[in-house]
Amino acid sequence: MPQAPSKQPLYIRMHPDDNVAIIVNDGGLPPGTDFPGEFVLSGHIPQGHKMALRTLKEGEPIVRYGVTIGYAHCGIPQGSWVEESLVRMPAARDLDGLPTCLQVGGRAEPLEGYTFEGYRNADGTVGTRNILAITTTVQCVAGVVEHAVKRIKAELLPAHPNVDDVIALEHTYGCGVAIDAPDAEIPIRTLRNISLNPNFGGQAMVVSLGCEKLQPSRLLPEGTLTASTGSCTVCLQHEQHVGFESMIAAIMEMAAQNLAVLGQRRRVTCPASDLVVGLQCGGSDAFSGVTANPAVGFATDLLVRAGASVLFSETTEVRDAIDQLTSRAATPAVAADLIREMAWYDRYLEKGGVDRSANTTPGNKKGGLVNIVEKAMGSIVKSGTGPISGVLGPGEKLKAKGLIYAATPASDFICGTLQLAAGMNLHVFTTGRGTPYGLAAVPVLKVATRSELARRWHDLMDVNAGTIATGEATIADVGWEIFHLLLAVASGKKTWAEHWKLHNALTLFNPAPVT
Ligand code: CA
């Protein structure tokens, strides 16, 4: 378990141009705290919150990460708390005239020799778990499928020690929706592509009601599944089913056939390039961008050098850094795709009468983040430093390796669901406030931004990046730790969320109307 940090007052400045810095110490620092040769604190400043490194005049830019995160509402004396009410948020960066493809020069040196033990699929993808998934076309069947899953686990699964789990892909889509609306493509392709996630071995089976709008043939057109076992659909309204037990028996029979195939599979040695790692954060605080996200960014660079795919997401949390992202685009086409996704999301928010500032939560603010600009600067650090080689729309499936921007809302459940559709086989989740987040389909490795959280939630957090703030570890130390732990988890080591079986619901992104 991590040790308590020293009592010495500490602050962290992220960039030489910054005129604010955050307080490191647990519980914050009291008035009168002396930073010898610099200044004395005029009042209490909570942990993770900002203090003025010099006196700021009214209207002056407040700079963190070398970026203007806001403007001073009034004069702010040196050594005092730069709290939310003192910071006026800047406008969003215009999407015209952005710098593009500035990251020239040779590719980073390849990282070779790293492997993991995974389940290779017929389509070339690799599973990190061996799971039987039951796809559903509509919420109406959820109760029946849940009942069937309980019985499959109790009666069939014990005979297949190589199969990790049986899960139902439940959701609230499928009927009562404008299924031909242009944006309905997003929830439909999300469900389709989740069924094809590498952890399901191409063996997905479908339970349908019968009268729903999302018919099985529309969800999974013929030939979509790579390892077909003949009929793979049970339709509850089919006349062959007389009574509930008949439906359950049909689902169990189909599950038995699929389990027989999945049960034959064995882990084989695979290069690290077969990893598809989805990144996101939830319950962020001011340390997210100082400890956990930079360490994850270091691991991202290692993974990309090893030939793996890394997905970063959360559109409202990268929107304010769009100029940094277009600068890192590998090609003009990638830059154009990034701008297209930002513009689409700007319009989506505008339709709802809000903008990107609707993102921040009370917990973010309590943790020291004054606005979405500051949150975004800490969030994009997860993407490391390399070129961005591709962009996926919400729910699209991965087409190429490398660092990919997978456009998703920042909502933890929706982001995770869309990254599952993209084909991730590992998920990294950083948190400062703390969340017990988990997914049934893919292992989730959770990284704490602060040692205090890692100590308190010692059996929920997999990695403590808080040691970076106190100087006990470097970003590289924790980055390598995450990289090695990812290879171990990919090979079967359980994360804490798996240990406790903590699973959040699949949550579809449906920007189209319901009827
Ligand atoms: Ca999130």
Side-chain angles (χ1 to χ4, degrees):
M1 205 185 291
Q3 297 299 304
S6 74
K7 292 284 174 239
Q8 188 197 351
L10 289 173
Y11 69 74
I12 293 180
R13 171 193 235 166
M14 294 303 291
H15 189 276
D17 294 344
D18 291 358
N19 53 26
V20 294
I22 64 163
I23 298 295
V24 173
N25 306 72
D26 288 351
L29 290 173
T33 301
D34 191 8
F35 288 96
E38 294 188 274
F39 43 76
V40 173
L41 296 194
S42 51
H44 170 77
I45 304 183
Q47 184 189 37
H49 285 246
K50 285 171 286 303
M51 67 171 172
L53 292 170
R54 60 173 177 78
T55 296
L56 298 167
K57 292 194 283 281
E58 185 184 341
E60 198 176 336
I62 296 168
V63 180
R64 189 170 175 226
Y65 299 103
V67 168
T68 299
I69 61 163
Y71 299 93
H73 247 312
C74 54
I76 304 173
Q78 185 187 43
S80 64
W81 182 11
V82 185
E83 57 171 316
E84 186 193 346
S85 65
L86 304 180
V87 184
R88 182 162 50 81
M89 193 172 91
R93 172 79 195 235
D94 200 312
L95 294 178
D96 290 326
L98 289 163
T100 54
C101 310
L102 299 181
Q103 226 181 36
V104 287
R107 279 185 51 205
E109 193 192 339
L111 188 63
E112 281 162 0
Y114 290 94
T115 60
F116 68 102
E117 301 298 308
Y119 295 99
R120 183 157 305 276
N121 296 315
D123 66 356
T125 62
V126 172
T128 59
R129 296 293 180 269
N130 189 23
I131 295 172
L132 173 64
I134 304 181
T135 300
T136 60
T137 52
V138 68
Q139 171 63 208
C140 311
V141 305
V144 171
V145 172
E146 198 179 320
H147 183 97
V149 165
K150 265 190 213 145
R151 286 200 40 197
I152 295 165
K153 281 187 182 177
E155 297 169 31
L156 303 179
L157 190 59
H160 301 285
N162 287 318
V163 181
D164 293 301
D165 208 354
V166 178
I167 66 172
L169 303 178
E170 263 181 41
H171 57 87
T172 55
Y173 198 71
C175 213
V177 292
I179 202 149
D180 293 318
D183 288 337
E185 180 57 15
I186 292 176
I188 296 170
R189 73 185 175 204
T190 302
L191 281 172
R192 176 182 307 136
N193 290 334
I194 287 180
S195 304
L196 305 176
N197 184 278
N199 281 3
F200 306 149
Q203 291 297 132
M205 50 188 251
V206 182
V207 176
S208 144
L209 179 63
C211 59
E212 67 274 27
K213 284 187 169 168
L214 184 58
Q215 289 289 304
S217 57
R218 183 157 184 179
L219 177 63
L220 290 168
E222 192 136 2
T224 310
L225 293 176
T226 50
S228 172
T229 51
S231 165
C232 64
T233 305
V234 171
C235 173
L236 302 189
Q237 288 172 348
H238 195 283
E239 58 198 17
Q240 79 182 60
H241 296 304
V242 180
F244 175 72
E245 283 295 345
S246 163
M247 300 170 188
I248 299 297
I251 297 171
M252 300 269 293
E253 193 190 320
M254 190 166 61
Q257 288 173 23
N258 281 291
L259 283 170
V261 178
L262 291 174
Q264 302 285 323
R265 307 175 81 213
R266 297 292 180 273
R267 289 186 183 271
V268 295
T269 302
C270 302
S273 57
D274 285 321
L275 294 177
V276 181
V277 182
L279 309 176
Q280 73 155 320
C281 43
S284 296
D285 66 4
F287 285 100
S288 296
V290 176
T291 61
N293 291 350
V296 169
F298 189 93
T300 294
D301 286 344
L302 296 176
L303 287 161
V304 172
R305 282 174 55 201
S309 307
V310 180
L311 312 167
F312 72 109
S313 296
E314 303 174 292
T315 299
T316 50
E317 293 176 14
V318 303
R319 175 64 179 84
D320 282 284
I322 181 61
D323 52 336
Q324 296 180 41
L325 299 186
T326 51
S327 297
R328 288 170 58 192
T331 65
V334 169
D337 287 348
L338 283 163
I339 293 167
R340 184 199 66 221
E341 290 300 333
M342 299 299 136
W344 186 93
Y345 215 87
D346 281 357
R347 287 197 302 276
Y348 167 73
L349 291 173
E350 207 181 307
K351 242 187 330 192
V354 294
D355 65 18
R356 77 229 195 272
S357 68
N359 173 301
T360 41
T361 66
N364 293 152
K365 291 181 175 179
K366 201 168 174 223
L369 295 170
V370 295
N371 61 29
I372 186 61
V373 186
E374 184 178 18
K375 188 174 174 179
M377 294 311 140
S379 173
I380 61 150
V381 188
K382 295 196 293 298
S383 68
T385 58
I388 299 164
S389 52
V391 177
L392 295 178
E396 281 183 338
K397 194 163 172 265
L398 193 66
K399 297 171 218 123
K401 289 185 186 290
L403 179 63
I404 308 291
Y405 183 68
T408 78
S411 155
D412 296 351
F413 329 105
I414 297 179
C415 173
T417 299
L418 291 169
Q419 288 186 345
L420 280 175
M424 77 166 158
N425 52 22
L426 282 177
H427 199 26
V428 177
F429 191 104
T430 69
T431 183
R433 307 297 300 167
T435 161
Y437 176 87
L439 292 172
V442 162
V444 178
L445 188 134
K446 289 205 290 294
V447 184
T449 71
R450 294 173 299 120
S451 296
E452 186 275 332
L453 175 67
R455 276 195 299 276
R456 209 157 30 87
W457 285 26
H458 59 91
D459 51 4
L460 289 163
M461 294 291 138
D462 299 290
V463 176
N464 174 25
T467 48
I468 295 168
T470 50
E472 296 157 85
T474 63
I475 288 170
D477 293 339
V478 182
W480 275 106
E481 182 188 345
I482 292 169
F483 178 76
H484 285 295
L485 190 53
L486 283 171
L487 291 171
V489 169
S491 305
K493 180 186 166 75
K494 281 194 160 101
T495 65
W496 277 117
E498 285 182 297
H499 174 84
W500 300 118
K501 299 190 189 302
L502 305 178
H503 305 151
N504 289 103
L506 290 181
T507 311
L508 292 175
F509 181 39
N510 178 24
V514 294
T515 60

